[in-house]
Amino acid sequence: PIHTMFHKFGRLATLPLVSATLLDRAVASSSPSSIRPAAFLSPTGRTSQVPSLSPEHNPSSINRKYSSTNIMSSSDSTISISDAFDGGNGEYVKTEIIDGTKTVFVKIRPDPYTELEKKNHFQYFSFRATPTVASDDEETIKYVIENAGDASYTVAWDGTTTFYTTTDPNDPISWKRKLDTSYDADTGHLSWSHTHPKNGGGSVYFSYFPPFSYNRHLQLISRCASSRVPCKVSSLGQTLDGREMECITVGKGERQCWIIHRQHPGETMAEFYAEGLLTRLLGLDTNGSIDGLATQLLQEKYTFHIVPNMCPDGAFRGHLRTNAQGQNLNREWCDTGKEGDDDYYEAPTAKRSPEVYYVLKRMDETGVDVFLDVHGDEELPFNFLAGAEGCPNYGPRLEHLQGAFLASYTRTNSDMQIKIGYEPEEPGKGRMNVCSNQIALRYDCLAVTLEMPFKDCMSNPDPEYGWNPCRAKMLGWSVLDALAYVHPYLREEGEFWVNFGKEDAYVRPTENYKD
């Protein structure tokens, strides 16, 4: 007999119907190492993966002890948890009454296993909580991410505040932060509370950072294509799930500026940054009217190549760092190891990481004079740049360009700062499979990774909203000023930095912001 069900991405799948008896026998006769992940349909309607029994493939397999009193089944709980939407990630575990408070436990679904890094990444969550019973009174419920202690960056939970909205989750302005969010390192629990109004009050959405849906992405691409500012919207190739890798090309200048966003799909602030940048360049909110600086850059200085979303498959699936097959795209920009060795890893390839493969192919056709790779960082509560200090070609020229670019950026938008950032790699010891390093070396150009916080931005704190989509858009908007400042020097020979003031000097960053 054949059992038909819907695949979690809307494709029909047919599976042979196996009796419970036969399945039990098969499992009983198999060794743990031979049991492979199998697909099943979760209560939310999403097809999930049964985790591998191997601890190294299953970060949630670490045993933690929880007190459990008055455990309810999902059918008894008055709150329904769902992640069955674009970018959703959060699976219902159980409901308990703890010290008189109803407590709903949810777990984050890991990304697929990453071959190169030998792990399952996870940290991003986004789920919907809906009352199943209309109460006559308000009800305060505690929500717990029960596997937060096994996430990719557990140190980042300290100081994290969960986003929530009770209105339209697709409206980035609607999201605020839960200021009572806390992380208990002993239990590995991230938790917060929410008071549901009487009579149900509808759904509430919780998210690590507000989502940027694939539908919003398609709307952005459509708005760019219909702008009065002449531009070219093209597909560089297709992803593993068959989505287009769109690139917006605009401008007539000699210098080639490439800006890519959201290599790590859970870093949704990166695509909001792209939206702000494209809005200014193409006049998306002003019927094609753009400011004087944008006009000058497009007419005389730059040709821009902008990829708003490098990992649309992972974004749709609710992943933190990987594409559909489990590749961390920011480690796929060149081969790792020596060909013929056991640890050799070929990258990028059209079969495993087409997103990088097609973008890099187009870069080779156009050349690159300046490059930004836009991300989000889980731990540091600042906006910052990471440079190519570890590249063998990094010297005074690239150092002064990086210093001047960053200094100009901070003068334009004080949400950017200079002192805090990743500890630079040692000279000549940079990881060449990391995107900005590879681009800096391959094209001998200014290439940086731009990081934005998941947390509040300590440069200009705003506890209720924190770092949020609107501020990410404004940071994208203001990058044009910094690009205008360094334009004359990008390919200049000689000691051009004598033209820079002391305020433009390179400053070696540190991660130690607490001191």
Side-chain angles (χ1 to χ4, degrees), residues 130 172 304 341 515:
T130 307
F304 289 91
D341 290 352
D515 293 337

Side-chain angles (χ1 to χ4, degrees), residues 169-188:
N170 297 307
D171 179 7
I173 299 176
S174 71
W175 293 82
K176 296 181 181 180
R177 290 179 179 259
K178 284 291 180 183
L179 301 184
D180 68 337
T181 305
S182 64
Y183 177 65
D184 186 330
D186 292 332
T187 62

Side-chain angles (χ1 to χ4, degrees), residues 80-99:
S80 177
I81 300 298
S82 173
D83 67 353
F85 53 87
D86 178 352
N89 188 332
E91 297 180 351
Y92 176 82
V93 178
K94 61 184 177 181
T95 299
E96 295 181 3
I97 304 298
I98 301 177
D99 297 329

Side-chain angles (χ1 to χ4, degrees), residues 420-438:
I420 305 301
Y422 298 144
E423 302 291 341
E425 294 176 310
E426 294 302 315
K429 296 183 179 180
R431 297 164 295 169
M432 291 300 104
N433 63 341
V434 172
C435 178
S436 58
N437 282 346
Q438 179 59 213

Side-chain angles (χ1 to χ4, degrees), residues 470-504:
C470 294
R471 292 174 73 181
K473 289 173 66 174
M474 288 185 280
L475 194 65
W477 176 288
S478 56
V479 73
L480 294 187
D481 297 74
L483 288 170
Y485 187 70
V486 298
H487 174 269
Y489 310 105
L490 291 174
R491 294 300 180 185
E492 186 77 4
E493 297 180 359
E495 296 184 0
F496 59 82
W497 47 88
V498 298
N499 298 309
F500 295 152
K502 292 182 179 180
E503 67 276 8
D504 291 333

Side-chain angles (χ1 to χ4, degrees), residues 316-337:
F316 187 84
R317 291 166 175 253
H319 293 176
L320 174 70
R321 290 177 71 84
T322 71
N323 69 0
Q325 199 181 82
Q327 271 57 256
N328 175 355
L329 298 182
N330 202 26
R331 302 296 183 271
E332 292 279 324
W333 288 82
C334 73
D335 298 344
T336 301

Side-chain angles (χ1 to χ4, degrees), residues 180-499:
D180 68 337
T181 305
S182 64
Y183 177 65
D184 186 330
D186 292 332
T187 62
H189 289 174
L190 182 77
S191 64
W192 63 89
S193 297
H194 181 77
T195 299
H196 294 263
K198 62 181 181 179
N199 298 323
S203 297
V204 56
Y205 290 81
F206 300 110
S207 194
Y208 192 28
F209 200 86
F212 195 109
S213 70
Y214 188 62
N215 186 57
R216 187 182 183 96
H217 168 83
L218 294 179
Q219 289 175 342
L220 175 60
I221 297 301
S222 177
R223 293 171 66 202
C224 292
S226 59
S227 170
R228 288 200 302 114
V229 177
C231 69
K232 179 182 178 183
V233 177
S234 61
S235 173
L236 305 183
Q238 287 192 343
T239 67
L240 295 171
D241 281 345
R243 294 185 175 88
E244 305 297 341
M245 286 297 301
E246 294 102 345
C247 178
I248 294 92
T249 303
V250 59
K252 300 186 291 185
E254 180 183 2
R255 296 289 174 242
Q256 305 295 315
C257 176
W258 275 83
I259 306 179
I260 68 172
H261 308 76
R262 206 175 173 184
Q263 281 204 83
H264 295 146
E267 297 163 10
T268 57
M269 63 285 286
E271 195 159 5
F272 284 109
Y273 182 105
E275 191 173 70
L277 169 61
L278 288 165
T279 296
R280 185 177 184 185
L281 278 176
L282 301 179
L284 299 184
D285 289 343
T286 52
N287 193 32
S289 296
I290 60 177
D291 64 76
L293 179 62
T295 299
Q296 185 182 50
L297 293 181
L298 293 177
Q299 293 293 329
E300 304 173 8
K301 299 184 182 300
Y302 285 111
T303 297
F304 289 91
H305 309 270
I306 299 170
V307 181
N309 188 345
M310 282 287 295
C311 195
D313 293 352
F316 187 84
R317 291 166 175 253
H319 293 176
L320 174 70
R321 290 177 71 84
T322 71
N323 69 0
Q325 199 181 82
Q327 271 57 256
N328 175 355
L329 298 182
N330 202 26
R331 302 296 183 271
E332 292 279 324
W333 288 82
C334 73
D335 298 344
T336 301
K338 295 182 180 180
E339 190 170 0
D341 290 352
D342 291 340
D343 62 348
Y344 175 69
Y345 182 88
E346 182 183 4
T349 69
K351 291 184 179 181
R352 185 168 52 213
S353 49
E355 301 90 344
V356 174
Y357 177 86
Y358 291 119
V359 169
L360 193 56
K361 180 180 178 182
R362 182 61 60 86
M363 286 180 173
D364 283 342
E365 295 171 1
T366 67
V368 183
D369 295 304
V370 60
F371 172 80
L372 278 77
D373 180 16
V374 182
H375 286 257
D377 181 79
E378 292 82 0
E379 182 179 0
L380 297 179
F382 294 93
N383 292 290
F384 60 94
L385 299 184
E389 290 92 336
C391 290
N393 64 321
Y394 192 85
R397 171 177 162 266
L398 293 183
E399 179 181 279
H400 284 284
L401 282 174
Q402 182 178 330
F405 176 81
L406 179 53
S408 175
Y409 210 157
T410 62
R411 292 192 291 268
T412 302
N413 188 329
S414 64
D415 277 338
M416 182 57 73
Q417 54 80 51
I418 295 174
K419 296 181 180 180
I420 305 301
Y422 298 144
E423 302 291 341
E425 294 176 310
E426 294 302 315
K429 296 183 179 180
R431 297 164 295 169
M432 291 300 104
N433 63 341
V434 172
C435 178
S436 58
N437 282 346
Q438 179 59 213
I439 301 305
L441 177 63
R442 194 182 191 100
Y443 305 105
D444 193 24
C445 69
L446 172 62
V448 296
T449 301
L450 186 152
E451 299 279 358
M452 291 176 282
F454 278 87
K455 301 176 182 179
D456 193 7
C457 177
M458 288 185 63
S459 300
N460 297 294
D462 178 7
E464 185 177 7
Y465 290 91
W467 187 251
N468 59 65
C470 294
R471 292 174 73 181
K473 289 173 66 174
M474 288 185 280
L475 194 65
W477 176 288
S478 56
V479 73
L480 294 187
D481 297 74
L483 288 170
Y485 187 70
V486 298
H487 174 269
Y489 310 105
L490 291 174
R491 294 300 180 185
E492 186 77 4
E493 297 180 359
E495 296 184 0
F496 59 82
W497 47 88
V498 298
N499 298 309

